[in-house]
Amino acid sequence: MRKLPHLVIAASTLTLAFTAIPSSARNNGAAPAPAPAAAPQQQQPAARDARPNIVVFIADDLGFGDTGAYGDPNANTPAFDRLAASGLSFNEAFVASPACAPSRAAMLTGLMPARNGAEANQAAPRRDIRKLPSYLQELGYEVVAFGKVGHYIQTRNYGFDLVEHDGYHDPQATLSADRWLRMRKSDKPLAIFVGSNWPHVPWPDGPEGYNAQQLKLGAKMVDTPETRDLRSRYYAAVSRMDQELGNTLSAVDETLGKNTIVLFSSDHGAQWPFGKWNLYDTGTRVPLIVRWNGVVKPGTKTGAMVSWVDILPTLIDVAGGKPPETIDGRSFAPLLRGNPAYKGRSEIFTTHNNDGDVNVYPMRSVRTERWKYIRNLHPEYTYTTHIDQYVNRKSDSGMYFPSWRRAADSDAKAKAIVDSYYKRPAEELYDLQADPDELHNLAGDARHAAVLKDMRNRLSSWRTAQGDTREAQGKPHFERGPLLGQPRD
């Protein structure tokens, strides 16, 4: 009998809990505001030998450029680099929102946060919205999740046939997926989602082979001994993710056969200033690699812009189904199959609201190939996150940040970085071709007034179409707070 294709989906944060669960814009995101109801239109499964297995591996808090294959000289990521050499690497892939819960909800519903209901971090999508497992199950797939696929235990509410180890930093998550694959007996095509805990904080206790003094730091980092120490431990976490990816790919290759598509990505940028919880590219731009034996040409790259809401319709497409037209996502399967007519999105929209009371700073963004426009909805607020508020917690969230504030007392560059972290203007405009690090805000430059107006109008029209009108929840901050950080009750 011909071996059936499999789908494997991995996410980077896994937990110890085990739960078995019974089955149960277009136009660049400018879709009608009402979300689709859960009632499915029955689809017929494709021919069994035509359905590939699907494997999705999702890292947790991995920055776009923080791997060897994406050009980071610091990172030791041999498994990731091998995957890139065997597949198609996307250079312009973006999440819908740079926080765990809304990002994953967008991937698993194909809808932007305002339409699926998961706008704040910790929030879950509405129960009446159809989720990705349901579409694949209708096409004949067994759909399972190991680790942090949804936002921890929220994974159980997405309709997977099986959920294991979906708690906080569960070290058994990827190991359990590997064991399960080797013990599996079913002949149904498989879609497996694997979520790693890494490189989410807390990072390993030591650098694990990384030399802190030799690291190349980012343009928006303050170079202090504390920064280098914690950055080396972040890279140690990246390498742990890479080890889990390598083990999972070994199990996949040994059990699922060649008719398998592997998709790797991260839920948003790293937990560093201007990364996670931000709409700069360091927060929303993510690595995305697809390996599909016999379909995708190995070692290739694309500059096509895609969004995480596009993953759902893409997987339905490769599984032989017809993606729904009422969602925000658009399938990029034509690109995988080599269709030269596929050009990707002309615009990428991203949103962020808040993460409890620690981070309350709603913002919206539209990005084209060249321009990035960010609208900070409440510039009177002081921007804060776990990084500056949770300094004394043993989670590595911001143990280095007091050294940045101290450096700012005597160093102009450090002061500019710290000031731009806490206080943001109402509008930001960046020329990404000339300023890829988004250092020079052009919103007040009269030479770019026409661009500013165009981008402002694009974002306003999209928000109207999305029904993006709800105020962010939580208590905003209006001052920086103590140097050592004291989270409010």
Side-chain angles (χ1 to χ4, degrees):
M1 178 183 294
R2 194 168 179 181
K3 187 117 180 175
L4 292 175
H6 302 273
L7 298 170
V8 179
I9 300 176
S12 59
T13 306
L14 306 175
T15 349
L16 291 169
F18 170 95
T19 307
I21 298 182
S23 302
S24 331
R26 303 189 69 82
N27 300 323
N28 293 309
Q41 180 177 355
Q42 192 69 26
Q43 300 192 64
Q44 294 300 317
R48 292 178 65 184
D49 61 359
R51 289 172 290 170
N53 299 299
I54 301 171
V55 178
V56 179
F57 191 100
I58 304 172
D60 200 1
D61 293 16
L62 174 68
F64 165 78
D66 297 343
T67 58
Y70 275 89
D72 191 334
N74 301 325
N76 180 25
T77 52
F80 181 92
D81 299 348
R82 287 194 300 271
L83 180 63
S86 64
L88 173 67
S89 299
F90 289 73
N91 289 328
E92 304 287 344
F94 300 87
V95 295
S97 183
C100 300
S103 177
R104 293 162 189 267
M107 178 190 72
L108 292 167
T109 64
L111 294 167
M112 293 295 291
R115 294 187 67 210
N116 72 45
E119 297 185 82
N121 202 20
Q122 317 298 332
R126 299 202 316 273
R127 290 184 177 271
D128 64 301
I129 294 174
R130 196 175 182 190
K131 316 300 194 295
L132 177 54
S134 172
Y135 292 103
L136 297 177
Q137 288 158 349
E138 184 178 82
L139 293 168
Y141 279 85
E142 180 179 17
V143 190
V144 300
F146 293 83
K148 188 179 178 181
V149 176
H151 190 53
Y152 300 118
I153 62 172
Q154 290 180 11
T155 305
R156 307 174 194 185
N157 299 325
Y158 281 95
F160 289 95
D161 296 312
L162 174 71
V163 174
E164 285 191 29
H165 299 283
D166 58 350
Y168 181 74
H169 250 290
D170 185 335
Q172 294 298 314
T174 59
L175 295 174
S176 182
D178 300 346
R179 289 192 298 266
W180 184 87
L181 279 170
R182 290 186 168 91
M183 295 175 61
R184 181 176 182 261
K185 303 299 183 183
S186 174
D187 64 353
K188 296 177 68 174
L190 174 66
I192 177 172
F193 294 69
V194 181
S196 169
N197 289 286
W198 301 112
H200 193 289
V201 296
W203 299 320
D205 291 336
E208 298 185 356
Y210 285 95
N211 187 326
Q213 301 310 311
Q214 295 179 357
L215 296 179
K216 180 181 178 181
L217 299 181
K220 292 184 178 180
M221 290 186 179
V222 179
D223 191 350
T224 67
E226 293 86 349
T227 302
R228 290 185 170 276
D229 174 55
L230 271 297
R231 191 66 177 172
S232 68
R233 291 166 56 188
Y234 165 74
Y235 280 113
V238 172
S239 289
R240 289 196 181 187
M241 178 281 299
D242 187 76
Q243 293 168 5
E244 293 183 338
L245 172 64
N247 292 337
T248 297
L249 291 177
S250 293
V252 166
D253 293 342
E254 292 171 16
T255 60
L256 298 186
K258 292 184 177 181
N259 191 14
T260 299
I261 180 172
V262 175
L263 185 152
F264 175 100
S265 195
S266 172
D267 61 350
H268 46 68
Q271 189 167 315
W272 285 82
F274 312 103
K276 183 177 181 179
W277 305 297
N278 286 272
L279 300 187
Y280 304 113
D281 274 11
T282 41
T284 61
R285 190 179 180 194
V286 293
L288 174 63
I289 296 175
V290 176
R291 186 188 79 180
W292 193 358
N293 296 315
V295 179
V296 168
K297 184 178 180 180
T300 52
K301 298 180 180 180
T302 178
M305 292 200 301
V306 298
S307 169
W308 252 40
V309 293
D310 299 333
I311 291 176
L312 179 146
T314 299
L315 296 183
I316 294 173
D317 194 341
V318 302
K322 182 180 179 181
E325 296 183 356
T326 53
I327 62 173
D328 295 318
R330 300 163 49 195
S331 172
F332 54 80
L335 174 64
L336 304 180
R337 297 185 178 111
N339 186 342
Y342 181 88
K343 302 301 181 183
R345 291 175 173 266
S346 60
E347 302 164 319
I348 293 289
F349 295 95
T350 53
T351 74
H352 175 67
N353 272 11
N354 67 292
D355 191 339
D357 288 342
V358 180
N359 167 252
V360 183
Y361 206 86
M363 57 186 90
R364 303 292 185 267
S365 174
V366 57
R367 185 196 196 277
T368 65
E369 184 178 350
R370 179 175 177 179
W371 297 98
K372 163 78 69 65
Y373 171 73
I374 299 173
R375 182 180 301 169
N376 297 305
L377 303 184
H378 288 282
E380 72 276 17
Y381 294 174
T382 297
Y383 180 88
T384 60
T385 69
H386 302 64
I387 292 170
D388 63 285
Q389 295 292 298
Y390 282 5
V391 172
N392 286 320
R393 293 199 174 189
K394 296 180 180 179
S395 65
D396 306 322
S397 190
M399 295 172 65
Y400 55 86
F401 200 73
S403 72
W404 290 28
R405 293 179 64 176
R406 293 188 183 100
D409 291 336
S410 58
D411 183 271
K413 181 180 178 181
K415 184 178 187 304
I417 292 173
V418 172
D419 287 350
S420 64
Y421 171 84
Y422 281 116
K423 296 303 294 184
R424 317 281 175 93
E427 295 181 300
E428 300 178 60
L429 180 70
Y430 300 98
D431 182 346
L432 300 173
Q433 291 181 357
D435 180 24
D437 293 320
E438 298 170 273
L439 299 173
H440 307 291
N441 181 12
L442 302 176
D445 189 330
R447 293 172 297 177
H448 303 292
V451 174
L452 178 66
K453 181 179 179 181
D454 174 59
M455 298 292 278
R456 181 190 294 145
N457 290 341
R458 292 193 199 198
L459 183 62
S460 294
S461 296
W462 178 81
R463 292 190 67 200
T464 298
Q466 286 277 310
D468 179 21
T469 59
R470 288 184 292 275
E471 285 289 328
Q473 303 300 307
K475 299 177 181 178
H477 294 234
F478 293 95
E479 58 185 17
R480 296 186 178 189
L483 179 68
L484 298 181
Q486 296 178 2
R488 303 181 307 175
D489 295 330

